[in-house]
Every structure is written in C-alpha cells, then in structure tokens.
Amino acid sequence: MRRPLILALTGVLAAGLLPAVAAAEPEGGAAPGGPGAHPLWLPAGKTGFGGSRDQASNVWFTLHSGQLSDVYYPDLSTPSIRSLGFVVTDGKSFAATDADAKFEQVRRTSPDGLTYEQTITDEKKRWKLRKTYVTDPERASVLVDVDFTSLTGKPYQLYAVLDPDLDNNGTDDSARTEGDTLVATDGKVTSALAANPAFTKTSNGFSGTSDGATQLLKSFQLKSYDTAGKGNVVQTGQLAADGLKSRRATLSLGFGEQAAATAKASLKTGFGPARKANEAGWRDYLRDLKDVPASVAGKRDLYKASMLMLAASEDKLNPGAFIASPSMPWQFGDNGPGWLPSGTYHLVWPRDLYQIATGMLAAGDEGAAQRSIEYMFTKQQQADGHLAQNTDVDGTPYWTSIQLDETALPIVLAQQVGIDAELWPNIRRAADFLIDYRGPNGQASPWSQQERWEEQDGYSPSTIASVIAGLVCAAELAKEHGDAASAERYLAKADEFKGKLAEWTVTTNGPLSDDPYFVRLTKDGNANNGTVYNLGNSSYDADQRAVADAGFLELVRLGIYAPDDPVIRNSLAVVDKEISYTTPTGQFWHRYTGDGYGERADGSQWEMELPPGSRQTFGRLWPLLAGERGEYELANGELGAAKRRLRDLGRVAGTGDTMPEQVWDENAPSGRPGFPTGKGNQSATPLAWTHAQFVRLAWSVQEKKVIEQPAAVRCRYLGAC
C-alpha cells in the first residue's frame, strides 16, 4: 500500500495545496518558505533493513515504497533521516518519483548479507532506476549504487532528494551546500550527502514550499538555494547521469562531526569494496552459528535473513540492546503532540528481548543471549527490582507501566544460560519484586498493571505463566548461589500461584463454551464473574468471560501445564473458533476477541485517542502466534502440524525477507484490492519477535521438542525430569 506521492517524498498531502515557488526569486541565498510542512515518518511496512556487523559503523537503513526510508544514527533508538528518493524529469513536460512508481522489485543481493537492491520501472516505460544499498563497515555511512536507464532513447535529468530528520526531530534542522556536498545539522547530529560523479547542481529548501521535489513536480526545473533553516529541511542534488551517455553514480550519506569527510571517505573506498567488506562481516557471523536446520528446507534464505536482521537489531554503543523494530507504525510516526521525538518500536522491551535472545540462542549465538541478560539486569532493571516496560538503547525508561512478564522472562533466560555470581543479587531483587509487588490499589502479584499486550491490568494466564516459571528458575539460581531461604520462598509462591490459576483465569460458566476455558484476563481474579471492561483501541465493552486469547499456551511452553490438559484443549477449540482465520498463506490468529490495535476499516492508520466503542480500528492477524501454536503442537507430539506452522510463518515474509507484526485478515479494507489477505500490513516490519519466533520454531521442529522450555519448571509441575 502506497501513500500519496507528495506525502511519500516531502510530507504534504497534495501538490495542489502547496504554495507556488516565486518565479522572481533569485538563485542562491537562503530558501523561502520556512519552517516547512510538519514532518512525518514514512510508514512502518519496511521492505528491507540493513547495517554492518562491524562496530565502527553505527548506522542502519530501511527501505519503503521504492526509496530509502528511516536511517538510524548514532544508535538504534535515533532515526535521523526520513527518506532518500529520486525525481526523474525531462525538464519540460513531466516529473516522476521513485516513491510513486507502481513497479518495484526489492531483493537481498546475497543470502549471506544485508545488501539490498531496489528496481523501479516507470509506469509509462520512460525510465528504469536500480539502486543498491549497503553500509560502509568502516564508518558511519550508507552507500547507494545508482544505475539509471532511459527506455525511450531520450536523455533525462535525475535528482536525489534527501529529507533529514536529525536526532529524531525534523522540526529544527538547518541545511547548506558545502562545495558539491549537501550538509544538514541540528547541533547534535550532522549528515552529509555526496556523489561520485559530483552533483552538478544542489539546492536546500523547506518541505512542501521550496524543496527540490516540490519545485520539480511543479515546474520541472530546480532553483538552487544555498541554505535553509531552521525547520523541516529537504536537500536536492542533480546527478550527472542522464540515462544514456551516463548511467552510473554512487551516493554516500555520512554522519558525525565530520560528516562530509566521512561521506567522501566512503566514496573514495568505493561501493564495490565497501559491499565486499560488509558482506564478509556477515558471512563470518553466520559461519559461527549452527548450520541452517533441515526444517527450513525451501526457506534457507529467510532463515539466514532472520538471523542477520536479529543481529543487526543490536545497538553498537550498547551491547545487548536489541530493539523491537526499526519502524514507527501509524500514529507513532506522526510526530504529533506526545510523539516527538518518536519512540515505541525502536526501543528495547525486556519481553521482546527475551524472545530475540531465545531465538538467537537456539541458532547458536550464546553471546547474544549473554549480552541480553547483562543488559536487562544492569541497564533496564529499576531500583525496586523490576525491569522497565521499555527503554532507549542506553537504558533510559520510555514508558513506565509494570508488566510482570517483563521481569519474569529475563529470569527464565538467565537460568537457562547461566550467570556470574556478580549478577545474582540483581536476579534476587527481580524475583523478590515478583512476590512483593502491589498494584496502585493494593492488588497483589500476580495481578499486573499491564499484560503482554500492554493494554489491560488484571490476572492474565500468559503473565502468570511467566511469573511461575520465573520464580522456579530464580529458585534454581538461588540454590546455585547458596541462598536456600530464597529458593524455598520462591518455590512456595510459585506453587501458590499455580494453585490459584484456575480461579483467576479459567471460567466454567462463560458464553464461549459449555466446558471450562481460559479467558484473556480477569479484572477481579474471579473468572466466573461477568465483570465488564473496555477492550481499548476504539473497541467495545466486553464481559471478561467472552474474550478469548491464546496466551494460555505459555503455560504449556514453559512446562507448567501438560499439553493434553482438558482445559488447554478446550481453550484451543475456543480460540480457533473465535479469533483464528485461514488465509492463502496459512492459519493465523488475532491477539484476542475484539482487538482494535490495527488499521481502520479503510486501511488508514491506527490512532490511539479514538472514542471507546466507536470500533474505528481493527487488529489484524499476528503471524508469530502461529509460531506459538507450533510450539504447543510439538509439546503435544504433533510434529507434522508444527512443520506446517513453520511453513506458514515463512510465507508471510516480503520479497526483501522482512517479516511483519501483523498481516491482513478476513476484513479487507473497504473491500478494495491492494490489501492481500495473509500478507503484511503497515504494522511494525521487520518485527524482531516474528523473526525470532521463526528461528526458534525452526530449531524446535528440528529437535522435535520445545527447546526453550525450562527443565526445572517441567520437572516440578509435569514430573518430566
């Protein structure tokens, strides 16, 4: 799904609404029209995500809608470039952009690397533009190899258009031309765009008024301005390539105090050598892992891509800090009140980090798991022992709600991987918090201020499962570190929670089945009460007994309930009836009954502050839930079914091997084409959790068991020691 042309390139909705560039304005000098249009980040459905393995290159890029999209620098919590796109014109009768082209192909050029190629073909068959992207492993720069071809035998003009949003804020940048290089800065971050052959003409302007794209789309001509600022600036450079006599060019986008020198140094190195070195670094990484499992036959490239993207999601300046996604979906990318600078998905969640680390551990990257544990318990842990809901990569808390699973699951990981003695006091504080926590009205653990979907408080089966497992694993660590009293306390509380679990979360009189089943959560700890709550995200009020969610499968995955338990089996029948849908790519599930976290009915973006009960937004299908179902099926001895889940999970990836948070469901937006059921929407893509689930399920299928199930928990509650 593409956004309107001008929005995709300059952040405004329609060229007809833009003020005309004054014809009498002389070239050179300062650009008029500041501060420019309100900056918006591009949609979150990224078709590519690239970076370097080398620590010297703390820059990452994404692709979207035919162009380079969010570029992150100096860390993975800080997007600093909105887009780098191209305009093609004959100078007199038309101008077209790569972002608006209907024919786009995206691919990774090597299964062992994160080099991407975009091929854009003009709808009217006038030109073709192939762009190949890679980061320079020796420095903070992105290189773009450009191959521009005229398909008519006529020469054309090709312009590169860069939209900086430096330091995650596009409202306070300034821009200038230094020689043949375009430089932008906000006082904290500086970027520079250079070309080889050098730009033949440059201009700096304000988005939507005097920027180069606006000029070219209106008049097919570029007026040069030397400077622009302070505001939402856009920079334009004309390339020497005309599509006939000259087809090739290289762009270099550098960052840092000496951004221009960095960009020029990468140009001097050259695209080919930089690409070779980048891909060698990733091949070395893959070589140190286990061999690709036979379970992913036919999806070997996607498996490798998943491992590469997971590894690339780790910040260079903060080891162990893996972000959830290099994207800003929906309202999170609007930079509106409360969202500037943008946050959310390019943050570190302890829960997502647990999922990432277990996936990487399964593939043989024990170092990533160890760094993750160290990060969570030294950077994300708070003074009272709990781990923050999410943080910037440097460990600064962003949102501050309490989610007990985000404190419990890291303990499970720590016990499975092992810890040094120095970390045991941190683990003990976390386990003590799980027991001693009280909500704002005195609610006792395992009541949680938020469950794993971060939208409701109460007693959640998935959260309670993680707390029980976390306490049992903490007891094992306590024994190892000579703290028998703590071990006894943790086990007693875990047993108590398991004993009360059914009362809290299993209804025997609910409307979805005549037999007992797990509900999504209860507000009051009594699953037979008809307590009503609003589901959030513009959704309706619901009886807590009428809301299904497959989160209870965590009880099986973590070794607390047997897979053939009658309540588990009946609950599966309920969720399959209530929240599953079979698409052309496979059977997937909504998060829960009435979920509203997703696009509107017409496919436009989700927004947070919509009237309760208005039902304006609809949560779509989550592929990672198929991975969780596959793990259950393995625990239940259904290897063939688990293999099918792995197959289906692999089918949702795009051509650039990015896997989404959500895919389109049974309700195609307004019945219009362009929203293929079972393929990614504009949710966070790539989502590291989805890639990690794919990798983890691949190894579970390979080994015919749930590989991350903690043995201590399984032994205690299932007797399988």
Side-chain angles (χ1 to χ4, degrees):
M1 181 176 67
R2 297 188 181 279
R3 303 183 87 179
L5 165 63
I6 306 301
L7 173 61
L9 205 54
T10 63
V12 290
L13 288 173
L17 299 178
L18 299 175
V21 178
E25 198 71 43
E27 296 211 17
H38 177 73
L40 300 172
W41 293 103
L42 288 182
K46 308 304 182 186
T47 57
F49 173 46
S52 297
R53 183 64 179 164
D54 303 68
Q55 294 298 304
S57 181
N58 57 322
V59 62
W60 299 259
F61 69 83
T62 63
L63 304 178
H64 183 276
S65 190
Q67 58 193 316
L68 182 77
S69 56
D70 318 336
V71 177
Y72 290 78
Y73 173 87
D75 59 48
L76 271 168
S77 284
T78 311
S80 284
I81 297 292
R82 179 179 180 273
S83 64
L84 172 63
F86 290 82
V87 177
V88 179
T89 181
D90 62 357
K92 55 185 178 181
S93 66
F94 83 90
T97 75
D98 53 357
D100 195 46
K102 293 183 178 179
F103 302 103
E104 174 196 4
Q105 294 177 315
V106 181
R107 69 182 184 96
R108 285 191 306 124
T109 61
S110 166
D112 297 334
L114 291 175
T115 305
Y116 282 88
E117 178 187 272
Q118 283 178 328
T119 301
I120 311 296
T121 304
D122 176 45
E123 182 179 6
K124 296 183 178 180
K125 301 294 192 293
R126 293 168 296 195
W127 52 269
K128 183 169 71 173
L129 182 62
R130 186 172 70 241
K131 301 165 290 181
T132 310
Y133 305 90
V134 74
T135 55
D136 185 340
E138 295 186 359
R139 52 188 65 89
S141 60
V142 181
L143 286 163
V144 188
D145 178 64
V146 179
D147 184 357
F148 175 54
T149 305
S150 168
L151 302 178
T152 64
K154 300 177 182 178
Y156 295 119
Q157 299 167 22
L158 180 65
Y159 296 86
V161 181
L162 179 71
D163 188 346
D165 277 51
L166 301 173
D167 197 42
N168 199 4
N169 185 346
T171 67
D172 62 351
D173 302 334
S174 60
R176 63 186 183 274
T177 298
E178 291 184 0
D180 55 11
T181 302
L182 293 164
V183 178
T185 187
D186 69 350
K188 295 180 180 178
V189 173
T190 300
S191 68
L193 182 66
N196 182 25
F199 291 128
T200 60
K201 189 175 186 178
T202 61
S203 186
N204 302 275
F206 293 100
S207 175
T209 57
S210 55
D211 71 271
T214 298
Q215 294 186 51
L216 291 164
L217 292 169
K218 278 184 164 291
S219 66
F220 320 128
Q221 299 291 324
L222 178 68
K223 186 171 294 183
S224 181
Y225 297 108
D226 297 328
T227 63
K230 192 176 196 179
N232 183 7
V233 300
V234 177
Q235 301 177 288
T236 305
Q238 183 176 359
L239 297 170
D242 64 3
L244 291 176
K245 294 181 180 179
S246 175
R247 288 178 42 186
R248 305 300 293 267
T250 302
L251 294 177
S252 178
L253 176 60
F255 296 88
E257 293 182 3
Q258 303 296 323
T262 297
K264 292 292 184 70
S266 290
L267 284 179
K268 185 176 181 180
T269 297
F271 183 88
R275 172 180 178 171
K276 183 177 180 180
N278 182 295
E279 294 178 353
W282 286 122
R283 276 195 303 273
D284 288 344
Y285 171 71
L286 292 173
R287 192 177 296 118
D288 289 338
L289 303 177
K290 297 177 184 177
D291 291 339
V292 177
S295 61
V296 293
K299 289 292 182 181
R300 290 176 57 87
D301 287 357
L302 177 60
Y303 175 89
K304 290 183 178 181
S306 293
M307 288 307 303
L308 293 172
M309 289 187 204
L310 290 175
S313 298
E314 183 178 14
D315 190 59
K316 300 292 178 63
L317 304 179
N318 301 277
F322 291 80
I323 63 167
S325 175
S327 66
M328 290 142 279
W330 306 312
Q331 190 177 14
F332 300 125
D334 282 357
N335 285 331
W339 305 111
L340 181 66
S342 72
T344 60
Y345 282 81
H346 50 80
L347 300 173
V348 185
W349 268 264
R351 176 178 45 256
D352 290 61
L353 186 46
Y354 164 84
Q355 303 290 346
I356 294 166
T358 53
M360 300 183 79
L361 181 64
D365 192 347
E366 185 174 338
Q370 291 173 334
R371 293 192 301 276
S372 298
I373 294 167
E374 183 77 16
Y375 176 83
M376 287 189 283
F377 285 105
T378 61
K379 293 290 188 72
Q380 292 189 303
Q381 190 172 38
Q382 304 301 294
D384 62 3
H386 89 278
L387 274 64
Q389 179 181 357
N390 52 33
T391 66
D392 287 326
V393 290
D394 66 2
T396 302
Y398 188 81
W399 287 340
T400 56
S401 295
I402 304 293
Q403 300 177 14
L404 294 186
D405 65 327
E406 294 202 299
T407 297
L409 289 173
I411 299 175
V412 175
L413 179 64
Q415 191 273 326
Q416 290 177 300
V417 176
I419 60 168
D420 294 330
E422 291 79 8
L423 207 59
W424 164 239
N426 303 64
I427 304 292
R428 183 172 56 202
R429 283 195 294 125
D432 289 345
F433 180 87
L434 292 177
I435 292 178
D436 299 335
Y437 171 68
R438 295 293 182 271
N441 295 317
Q443 304 96 326
S445 175
W447 181 95
S448 184
Q449 187 180 16
Q450 289 184 347
E451 37 69 81
R452 72 171 179 168
W453 301 132
E454 308 192 282
E455 296 166 352
Q456 297 292 334
D457 59 29
Y459 297 86
S460 156
S462 63
T463 297
I464 298 171
S466 70
V467 171
I468 293 170
L471 289 172
V472 173
C473 289
E476 290 297 302
L477 290 170
K479 295 173 188 175
E480 292 175 13
H481 292 86
D483 190 347
S486 289
E488 183 177 350
R489 180 174 180 237
Y490 299 153
L491 291 174
K493 188 59 70 169
D495 292 347
E496 177 188 330
F497 288 167
K498 183 179 183 296
K500 294 181 178 178
L501 181 63
E503 175 188 344
W504 289 329
T505 64
V506 176
T507 182
T508 60
N509 64 356
L512 304 183
S513 174
D514 292 336
D515 296 319
Y517 61 90
F518 282 97
V519 296
R520 177 196 176 192
L521 58 82
T522 62
K523 291 291 186 176
D524 51 14
N526 186 338
N528 284 331
N529 277 351
T531 304
V532 174
Y533 67 96
N534 184 269
L535 297 174
N537 293 310
S538 87
S539 197
Y540 50 80
D541 293 347
D543 182 325
Q544 63 187 8
R545 300 169 301 172
V547 185
D549 175 353
F552 62 86
L553 290 180
E554 288 288 88
L555 292 162
V556 176
R557 184 181 71 85
L558 292 171
I560 301 166
Y561 266 52
D564 60 353
D565 182 275
V567 180
I568 295 287
R569 285 187 173 280
N570 190 51
S571 300
L572 284 172
V574 169
V575 299
D576 285 351
K577 179 182 177 182
E578 294 293 319
I579 58 175
S580 79
Y581 183 72
T582 299
T583 76
T585 53
Q587 183 186 19
F588 302 113
W589 286 261
H590 297 281
R591 296 188 303 171
Y592 54 81
T593 308
D595 185 9
Y597 183 57
E599 283 96 342
R600 298 181 188 227
D602 64 359
S604 59
Q605 74 166 8
W606 169 89
E607 292 183 18
M608 180 171 287
E609 302 300 334
L610 292 174
S614 62
R615 206 69 175 117
Q616 295 186 45
T617 56
F618 298 85
R620 310 297 177 170
L621 301 166
W622 284 59
L624 65 85
L625 296 178
E628 293 187 355
R629 183 61 168 266
E631 289 177 318
Y632 163 78
E633 287 161 338
L634 276 173
N636 200 42
E638 302 173 63
L639 178 60
K643 287 181 177 179
R644 290 190 292 274
R645 303 299 179 199
L646 180 61
R647 176 203 64 191
D648 295 348
L649 188 52
R651 287 173 169 175
V652 304
T655 56
D657 292 329
T658 56
M659 301 182 76
E661 175 188 78
Q662 300 179 38
V663 296
W664 292 113
D665 58 1
E666 62 270 32
N667 300 310
S670 302
R672 295 182 288 119
F675 304 89
T677 303
K679 285 295 186 179
N681 58 357
Q682 292 300 328
S683 61
T685 309
L687 185 71
W689 185 351
T690 311
H691 284 279
Q693 182 67 76
F694 176 71
V695 169
R696 200 172 71 190
L697 181 59
W699 280 104
S700 290
V701 169
Q702 181 72 17
E703 299 188 20
K704 300 181 177 62
K705 63 180 182 179
V706 182
I707 57 174
E708 77 280 7
Q709 187 176 76
V713 181
R714 181 179 65 244
C715 181
R716 186 168 190 83
Y717 295 118
L718 302 181
C721 300

